[in-house]
Amino acid sequence: MDRADNRAPYERIAGFYRDQISSGELPPGALLPSIRGMSDQWEVSTATADRAMKLLRDEGLVRGIPGIGTEVLGPPVSLSSGAERHDRSSRTKSSWGAGEKSSSHTAGIVPAPPAVAIVFGIEPGDDVIRRSRVYRDGHGIVSHSTSWIPAEFAPALPDLVRSKRLKGGLSLDLIAQATGRTVVRRIDEETARLATVEDLELLELEHGTVAAILVLTARFFDADGQLLEYGVDLGAPGRTRMTTSAVVR
C-alpha cells in the first residue's frame, strides 16, 4: 500500500510538476496548464492552483509569459558539495558548475558561533575567518555557501578576509600555495531539515516560508590531521543532489 501523502494540496500539485520537470517529461519551453485548467484537473480551488504555480515560480522551475502562459525552464543545476567544488577548482581553478555564477561574496574575521567552535575545537567567540557566497543559475539561487577557516591564515593570506571573489582558485588552493599544507582527508555529510529563519534570509526566501532544504558540510584536513576548512552549503528548496560513479564488475 502506498504511504499516504500528507502534504498540503498545493505542495502535492507543485511536487507533481517538479518531478516532471526534473525527469525531462516536461521539457524546457513546455507550457503548464492555466490556473483554471490546473484547478479543474486537480479538483482544487483556483487559489490552491495559483499557490502551487507560485511555488514553482519561486523555485525557478517556470516563468510566466504575458499573453502566453507559464513556461517550463530547464532542469536546475544539481547541488554540488564542498568536496566536489574543491575537486572542480583543482581542475579548472573555478568552483562554478555548468551554468553557474557566484555573487554576494563577503568575508571577514568573526567570532566563532558555538556550532563552528565545536568543529574546530576552539572556544565560542574565538576568531575565525568566514567567507560566504551565493551560487546562482538561470533558475535563481542554487545554494548559499560558507567557508569557515582558521584565523591563523589571515596574516599570510589577506585576500581571505576581503569581500571579493578569490583569484587563482579556492581558499584551500591558496592555503596550499602559501603554506604547503594540502588536503589529504575530507569528511562529507548530507542532512535534510526545514529551513530556519536564518536559512530563509540567506537563501533570499520570504519570511515564514516552509521549505525543506539540503545541508551539505565538508571538513578538510591536512597530513597532521589539522582542520583547514569547514564548508557549509545550504541548498535552495527544489534543488536536487546528483552524483555519478563507475560500477565495478
Side-chain angles (χ1 to χ4, degrees):
M1 181 180 296
D2 292 338
R3 182 178 298 178
D5 189 339
N6 294 319
R7 293 177 297 175
Y10 81 92
E11 292 177 321
R12 292 200 299 271
I13 296 170
F16 171 81
Y17 291 110
R18 184 187 300 117
D19 291 344
Q20 287 203 320
I21 293 169
S22 295
S23 68
E25 189 171 347
L26 275 175
L31 295 178
L32 263 59
S34 66
I35 295 298
R36 172 56 65 184
M38 190 178 292
S39 170
D40 292 342
Q41 178 182 342
W42 289 86
E43 299 181 347
V44 296
S45 68
T46 54
T48 296
D50 184 63
R51 192 172 181 185
M53 195 76 82
K54 181 179 184 302
L55 183 56
L56 294 172
R57 289 198 303 270
D58 290 346
E59 293 177 2
L61 297 174
V62 301
R63 66 175 178 177
I65 303 177
I68 296 179
T70 301
E71 179 189 32
V72 173
L73 299 173
V77 170
S78 175
L79 181 60
S80 296
S81 69
E84 288 167 331
R85 293 193 185 282
H86 177 246
D87 290 344
R88 188 182 298 138
S89 178
S90 298
R91 299 190 305 269
T92 68
K93 300 304 179 185
S94 172
S95 63
W96 296 338
E100 276 188 326
K101 293 293 181 183
S102 59
S103 62
S104 305
H105 291 261
T106 64
I109 295 177
V110 301
V116 174
I118 290 173
V119 172
F120 279 98
I122 59 179
E123 293 295 321
D126 285 353
D127 285 347
V128 66
I129 298 171
R130 181 185 188 274
R131 293 191 56 81
S132 68
R133 78 291 297 166
V134 175
Y135 290 100
R136 305 175 190 268
D137 65 4
H139 299 270
I141 291 180
V142 178
S143 65
H144 182 281
S145 179
T146 303
S147 300
W148 300 95
I149 305 166
E152 66 186 81
F153 293 121
L157 292 164
D159 280 352
L160 290 181
V161 296
R162 293 175 181 153
S163 295
K164 62 180 183 179
R165 182 169 178 257
L166 295 174
K167 296 181 179 180
L170 298 180
S171 49
L172 287 166
D173 301 318
L174 302 186
I175 289 171
Q177 295 166 16
T179 68
R181 297 170 63 182
T182 60
V183 176
V184 300
R185 184 170 66 96
R186 68 192 183 204
I187 299 175
D188 300 319
E189 293 184 5
E190 299 181 18
T191 58
R193 70 170 186 233
L194 288 177
T196 65
V197 172
E198 182 182 5
D199 295 336
L200 294 176
E201 182 178 350
L202 294 175
L203 292 171
E204 300 177 12
L205 297 170
E206 291 183 8
H207 179 74
T209 298
V210 178
I213 63 172
L214 278 176
V215 182
L216 312 181
T217 65
R219 288 177 283 171
F220 300 88
F221 299 88
D222 66 12
D224 295 323
Q226 297 298 306
L227 185 61
L228 298 177
E229 183 173 311
Y230 172 53
V232 181
D233 286 272
L234 306 176
R239 292 291 171 167
T240 59
R241 173 87 174 97
M242 181 176 66
T243 59
T244 59
S245 59
V247 176
V248 179
R249 299 185 181 276

